[in-house]
């Protein structure tokens, strides 16, 4: 059996063992990160799907993510060797294209590393004054810095008065300024499912992450335990982001409180889709470790709290 057929066979088996749920239900359980038509295409397996799409479906079906990642890589390698087309929806001419996850008005920046942003801003690591409104605004992948902020550009849930809101607005202005400068200087590289890990100091990525280390219950007061790790993956590497709890949007006075709304994710109950740019800290075969400059939730219209 060729690698693609083996992947398709295993996927059909896992789908059947899960009770063959409706494609709309699977899409809903991914928080609509992918559509029901994409779910159907992944399950048919006529063409090799993108890893991110397959990963979401496997998670809903309670399949073994590592097993399917090995099967996907083998099928992708075989397709490369045979000179076949890449994953469905891939555009070989658009090597730096961003994954096509549609933005939603309920998207928001749930994490901004204030210390990094303020340090970079003070050091002048931004574009010239006024550059954030240029028509030829610099891009990360295929999205301009301005586009990242035009929809869901608040730090914290939109239309919600939050503690220190004036400071949050100022911080977002500084973040936009810093990102534009980093892109213009070539300091940000784009990480894709099928691509190599960029050698740039900062890495841009859109993907699914789950909590891989949990904070203690209740209010977190000890700085020594004020870190959680979020893990995502591209086919040949895990991506681990170490995050300070005090920089999440729901923190007040640099203290983060676990509530019934955010407990499910922070205690390891599920996965979320994020845009991020992170500082590259370490890279070895199979593992890329970073510290986020920001995390932006792709909420797909769902009520998500972090």
């Amino acid at each position: 059996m060729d690698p693609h057929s083996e992947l398709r066979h295993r996927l059909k088996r896992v789908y059947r063992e899960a009770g063959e749920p409706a494609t709309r239900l699977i899409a809903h359980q991914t928080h609509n990160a992918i559509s029901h038509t994409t779910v159907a295409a992944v399950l048919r397996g006529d063409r090799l799907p993108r890893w991110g799409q397959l990963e979401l479906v496997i998670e809903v079906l309670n399949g073994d993510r590592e097993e399917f990642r090995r099967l996907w890589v083998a099928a992708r390698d075989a397709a490369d060797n045979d000179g076949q087309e890449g994953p469905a929806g891939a555009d070989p001419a658009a090597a730096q294209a961003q994954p096509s996850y549609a933005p939603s008005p309920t998207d928001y920046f749930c994490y901004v590393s204030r210390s990094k942003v303020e340090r970079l801003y003070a050091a002048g690591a931004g574009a010239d004054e006024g550059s954030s409104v240029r028509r030829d605004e610099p891009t990360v992948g295929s999205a301009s810095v301005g586009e990242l902020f035009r929809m869901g550009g608040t730090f914290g849930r939109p239309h919600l008065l939050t503690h220190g809101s004036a400071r949050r607005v100022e911080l977002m202005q500084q973040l936009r300024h810093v990102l534009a400068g980093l892109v213009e200087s070539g300091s940000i590289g784009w990480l894709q499912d099928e691509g190599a890990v960029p050698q740039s100091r900062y890495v841009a990525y859109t993907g699914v992450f789950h909590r891989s280390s949990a904070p203690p219950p209740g209010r977190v007061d000890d700085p020594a335990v004020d870190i959680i790790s979020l893990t995502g993956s591209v086919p040949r590497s895990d991506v681990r982001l170490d995050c300070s709890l005090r920089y999440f949007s729901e923190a007040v006075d640099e203290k983060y409180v676990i509530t019934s709304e955010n407990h499910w994710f922070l205690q390891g109950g599920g996965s979320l889709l994020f845009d991020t740019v992170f500082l590259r800290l370490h890279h070895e075969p199979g593992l890329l470790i970073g510290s986020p400059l920001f995390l932006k939730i792709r909420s797909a219209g769902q009520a998500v709290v972090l």
Side-chain angles (χ1 to χ4, degrees), residues 55-288:
E55 182 183 23
L56 286 166
V57 172
I58 290 304
E59 180 174 288
V60 172
L61 299 177
N62 293 315
D64 186 328
R65 186 174 67 90
E66 290 306 313
E67 175 196 4
F68 276 91
R69 185 162 69 167
R70 289 192 298 270
L71 291 170
W72 188 94
V73 169
R76 186 75 175 92
D77 287 345
D80 286 345
N81 292 335
D82 292 341
Q84 298 175 7
E85 294 182 11
D91 180 2
Q96 294 298 314
Q98 185 177 15
S100 56
Y101 298 110
S104 163
T106 56
D107 295 350
Y108 67 95
F109 288 79
C110 64
Y111 181 98
V112 177
S113 176
R114 190 180 66 254
S115 62
K116 291 189 188 68
V117 171
E118 290 179 345
R119 184 172 65 250
L120 289 166
Y121 187 79
D128 294 336
E129 290 298 328
S131 64
S132 61
V133 295
R134 292 196 318 273
R135 290 186 177 181
D136 59 339
E137 191 158 36
T139 61
V140 180
S142 63
S144 73
V145 172
E147 188 65 32
L148 186 66
F149 289 84
R150 266 191 285 274
M151 182 169 284
T154 59
F155 179 35
R157 287 173 285 171
H159 313 302
L160 179 69
L161 292 176
T162 56
H163 180 80
S165 57
R167 179 66 189 97
R168 291 179 180 224
V169 171
E170 181 185 12
L171 182 62
M172 294 306 292
Q173 293 171 342
Q174 292 178 347
L175 174 62
R176 178 170 175 163
H177 189 78
V178 165
L179 284 174
L182 291 175
V183 173
E184 285 186 330
S185 67
S187 299
I188 302 179
W190 182 253
L191 176 62
Q192 301 181 90
D193 276 354
E194 296 83 40
V197 173
Q199 298 303 307
S200 53
R201 180 167 176 77
Y202 290 88
V203 177
Y205 178 58
T206 295
V208 178
F209 286 85
H210 63 274
R211 193 277 309 156
S212 54
S213 66
R219 184 179 288 272
V220 179
D221 295 306
D222 182 359
V225 293
D226 196 21
I227 303 291
I228 63 167
S229 294
L230 306 181
T231 299
S233 66
V234 290
R236 293 171 175 82
S237 180
D238 283 337
V239 180
R240 194 188 84 197
L241 301 182
D242 294 335
C243 308
S244 299
L245 279 168
R246 65 183 180 275
Y247 293 145
F248 278 96
S249 59
E250 295 298 305
V252 176
D253 294 329
E254 298 199 345
K255 298 295 188 297
Y256 191 90
V257 179
I258 299 176
T259 68
S260 59
E261 292 180 294
N262 56 38
H263 178 273
W264 72 276
F265 178 74
L266 290 175
Q267 295 296 341
S271 300
L272 290 172
L273 182 65
F274 295 105
D275 290 319
T276 183
V277 169
F278 59 90
L279 175 64
R280 172 196 174 109
L281 298 177
H282 176 74
H283 179 225
E284 61 186 57
L287 179 63
L288 173 62

